[in-house]
Amino acid sequence: MNYARPTSVAELMRVRAERPEWSLVAGGTDIMVPINFGRRRPTGLIDLSHVPELALHQFDGDAQTIGSGVTFGVIEREMRSIAPALAMAARTVGSPQIRATATIGGNLATSSPAGDAHPALVACRASVEVGSVRGIRTISIDDFFVSPGHSALEPDEVVLSVKVPVPVHTTQQFAKVGVRNAMVISVASLALAIDWTGRRVGVGLGSVGPTPLRAPEAERCLERLLWPEDATGRAGAESMTAADIEAFAGQVRAAAAPIDDVRGTANYRRHVVQVMAARCARRAIAEGMSQCR
Ligand SMILES: Cc1cc2nc3c(=O)[nH]c(=O)nc-3n(C[C@H](O)[C@H](O)[C@H](O)COP(=O)(O)OP(=O)(O)OC[C@H]3O[C@@H](n4cnc5c(N)ncnc54)[C@H](O)[C@@H]3O)c2cc1C
């Protein structure tokens, strides 16, 4: 098999343009599975693991930029305080061995509706920077996923980085249900991000639609409950009732568009996103309130 090992982004873009039919390989935890089983035989591989720029991550005060080659192990260990939902999601990816090599760029490019990074990126309103010899462009996470296994990436484009906005005061949660507790693809997953400063709520859902989904009506519902027009400060959060939380969770359930498959039925998936939504909302609100005291 042909093999290229670029050592800079500029070289990577050049090789990608010259060999668009070759496959990119980062951690190899997705692409090597069909290759090992003989179901896929790319004419060549372009190895991303020696491009140092892709392994960088930095916080600039407003956002965390994460190179596409950053592994879930690094995200799990180093981004707990800065991108909590994403770090929680990272912790559920495969095993420690998988997390040591699986990258966020590979997760995005695979574009599985079950990719664990995706709900957190949706909830946090992340954006994806992609590049080719034609230039660099930024794609909103809401426009990145097109259909199962397909993203907005053009054939010659490479995911360079992901930018995750970091509000001054945010509380976030991630929940995932699988057929067992570890080493499992999700039956349903959910991320919730509350931006207490900007008064915005983000809800991302995984494995309950053809692509990762946003739940806009649920977001508006929780925003109205947390910050009602006739209340100031934390009054909305303080007066939140169990029925309010269930109203939000019901809106999340309504946003899901699941199917029956080997991992679970559509009805079960609707049920678990509702349960996860209520649980995550209670936790994120309680944490936000305790930090305000
Ligand atoms: C045992 C096991 C358990 C797993 N558990 C989970 C899990 O719990 N949750 C989960 O979400 N996933 C899981 N996965 C899937 C996989 O680990 C993740 O999707 C991972 O993030 C893929 O990243 P990678 O770097 O290994 O990608 P690779 O396998 O190297 O590449 C995946 C695809 O993305 C393309 N690609 C890679 N990088 C780029 C880039 N920068 N730009 C454009 N295209 C690119 C490749 O060409 C390929 O098509 C598991 C896999 C295994 C084998």
Side-chain angles (χ1 to χ4, degrees):
M1 190 184 293
N2 295 301
Y3 175 76
R5 200 180 77 174
T7 53
S8 69
V9 166
E11 188 188 356
L12 164 62
M13 306 270 205
R14 205 170 50 246
V15 176
R16 185 71 171 140
E18 286 164 2
R19 309 262 185 239
E21 74 286 6
W22 289 17
S23 295
L24 300 170
V25 57
T29 59
D30 268 326
I31 196 171
M32 291 311 295
V33 176
I35 291 177
N36 285 340
F37 279 103
R39 293 197 301 262
R40 185 170 169 181
R41 189 74 190 163
T43 49
L45 288 175
I46 304 172
D47 184 351
L48 304 180
S49 66
H50 290 77
V51 180
E53 299 100 305
L54 300 184
L56 298 177
H57 57 94
Q58 64 172 34
F59 177 55
D60 67 8
D62 293 323
Q64 174 77 11
T65 301
I66 308 169
S68 65
V70 172
T71 64
F72 283 114
V74 169
I75 294 171
E76 172 194 7
R77 286 190 303 276
E78 300 183 27
M79 296 179 203
R80 278 182 209 169
S81 58
I82 212 110
L86 185 62
M88 287 180 213
R91 192 166 173 273
T92 74
V93 173
S95 60
Q97 293 89 340
I98 293 291
R99 297 198 285 278
T101 180
T103 65
I104 191 165
N107 205 241
L108 279 164
T110 296
S111 292
S112 160
D116 281 325
H118 308 158
L121 297 176
V122 169
C124 294
R125 298 185 167 83
S127 53
V128 186
E129 188 174 76
V130 306
S132 69
V133 284
R134 296 176 289 113
I136 290 176
R137 65 185 178 117
T138 301
I139 308 173
S140 152
I141 196 71
D142 289 332
D143 299 327
F144 187 81
F145 305 106
V146 173
S147 61
H150 293 96
S151 71
L153 276 179
E154 296 293 340
D156 63 342
E157 283 182 322
V158 178
V159 177
L160 298 176
S161 64
V162 187
K163 195 170 193 170
V164 183
V166 180
V168 175
H169 182 201
T170 178
T171 55
Q172 303 179 7
Q173 287 290 322
F174 172 80
K176 167 177 169 179
V177 167
V179 293
R180 59 183 183 195
N181 259 348
M183 282 287 291
V184 77
I185 185 169
S186 70
V187 172
S189 60
L190 176 145
L192 169 66
I194 302 179
D195 170 358
W196 296 88
T197 328
R199 298 191 160 195
R200 282 192 97 182
V201 169
V203 179
L205 304 176
S207 289
V208 290
T211 62
L213 300 175
R214 175 178 300 288
E217 295 302 323
E219 291 172 343
R220 297 296 82 77
C221 170
L222 192 54
E223 284 167 2
R224 281 193 301 271
L225 290 165
L226 285 170
W227 305 291
E229 277 174 18
D230 56 350
T232 54
R234 286 175 288 150
E238 275 164 0
S239 62
M240 184 100 55
T241 64
D244 290 335
I245 298 282
E246 281 313 320
F248 161 70
Q251 292 284 351
V252 174
R253 179 191 179 111
I259 54 166
D260 295 337
D261 69 13
V262 287
R263 283 176 286 137
T265 63
N267 265 342
Y268 177 66
R269 288 183 153 106
R270 281 193 200 93
H271 172 70
V272 293
V273 289
Q274 184 168 0
V275 172
M276 290 189 296
R279 199 171 288 169
C280 286
R282 279 193 295 271
R283 288 179 185 162
I285 293 167
E287 192 190 344
M289 300 288 286
S290 71
Q291 289 170 358
C292 286
R293 284 187 220 290

